[in-house]
Amino acid sequence: MSTPALQQHYKDKVVPALQKKLGHKNVHQIPRLEKIVVTSCMGKAADRKVAVDDAVNEIQKITGQRPSITYSKKAVANFKLREGEALGARVTLRGARMWEFLHRFINITSPNIRDFRGISSKSFDGRGNYACGISDQSIFPEIEIDQIKRTIGFDLIFVTSAPTDAEGRELLTELGLPFRDMKKANETEAAAAN
């Protein structure tokens, strides 16, 4: 099995660029992408069980991997939710599948978003991990538009080994993730450091 193109790009171009930019002496200090988690929750749907099955099928088409179903941990009467009821689906991508999914997301999927000006750079968690929401599955080329039963939103979580948001942002930018407001984020970070 050959190495995915984006993974080869990471090894050849991104690692030396990050080492120079971040000033790390050891190659193992350079941040890397560890996994991508794709989740979808169907908690508000009236026909929750059928909605979860739809979400499982859509995520499987998009990622090429069968997702696991997530269940409620406790009952919530206001939401008509019982303990142990199916709520959504989640899949964790690692290795070659992760790199291929990221390559497709950067080059094919994100340009399909209507009025796309880049993704927000504000959704970092403080530990170098990034999350972004996709409101509609029709932007993915694997989904046939006439087969869509309901609109399903997704959360994509990019888990990195970066210790800070700045290093995580540098890694994802070097990989090609199209951030919208990089200049603004850098100014905010510089102001916070002072």
Side-chain angles (χ1 to χ4, degrees), residues 7 16 32-34 57 61 87 90 122 137 152 172:
Q7 187 176 10
R32 65 190 177 283
L33 190 62
E34 293 182 338
N57 293 332
K61 285 178 192 172
L87 273 182
R90 174 182 63 210
K122 296 176 184 174
Q137 79 269 33
I152 298 172
L172 294 174

Side-chain angles (χ1 to χ4, degrees), residues 60-148:
Q60 186 171 1
K61 285 178 192 172
I62 290 165
T63 61
Q65 186 172 314
R66 183 127 179 106
S68 59
I69 296 174
T70 56
Y71 298 94
S72 62
K73 292 179 181 166
K74 59 183 180 179
V76 180
N78 290 347
F79 299 118
K80 298 184 176 98
L81 182 67
R82 293 188 188 99
E83 186 176 341
E85 194 172 349
L87 273 182
R90 174 182 63 210
V91 68
T92 303
L93 302 171
R94 290 186 170 92
R97 269 205 184 118
M98 171 189 74
W99 288 107
E100 287 167 5
F101 177 80
L102 181 60
H103 183 75
R104 285 194 321 268
F105 179 73
I106 292 169
N107 297 308
I108 299 168
T109 306
S110 55
N112 281 344
I113 299 172
R114 186 180 296 160
D115 298 331
F116 185 67
R117 291 186 187 90
I119 55 177
S120 174
S121 62
K122 296 176 184 174
S123 299
F124 281 89
D125 68 348
R127 295 188 190 97
N129 304 319
Y130 178 73
C132 76
I134 305 290
S135 59
D136 184 17
Q137 79 269 33
S138 66
I139 62 169
F140 291 94
E142 298 86 359
I143 303 295
E144 296 174 30
I145 294 177
D146 55 337
Q147 301 290 321
I148 294 176

Side-chain angles (χ1 to χ4, degrees), residues 9-77:
H9 171 72
Y10 170 76
K11 290 176 182 173
D12 297 342
K13 302 266 180 7
V14 175
V15 168
L18 285 177
Q19 191 167 11
K20 186 177 178 186
K21 199 178 279 188
L22 301 174
H24 292 310
K25 290 183 172 52
N26 190 334
V27 180
H28 299 291
Q29 290 177 301
I30 296 167
R32 65 190 177 283
L33 190 62
E34 293 182 338
K35 62 185 176 181
I36 297 175
V37 182
V38 181
T39 63
S40 181
C41 183
M42 306 309 291
K44 291 182 181 175
D47 54 343
R48 203 174 287 132
K49 196 168 192 168
V50 178
V52 168
D53 290 340
D54 291 343
V56 166
N57 293 332
E58 301 290 288
I59 290 176
Q60 186 171 1
K61 285 178 192 172
I62 290 165
T63 61
Q65 186 172 314
R66 183 127 179 106
S68 59
I69 296 174
T70 56
Y71 298 94
S72 62
K73 292 179 181 166
K74 59 183 180 179
V76 180

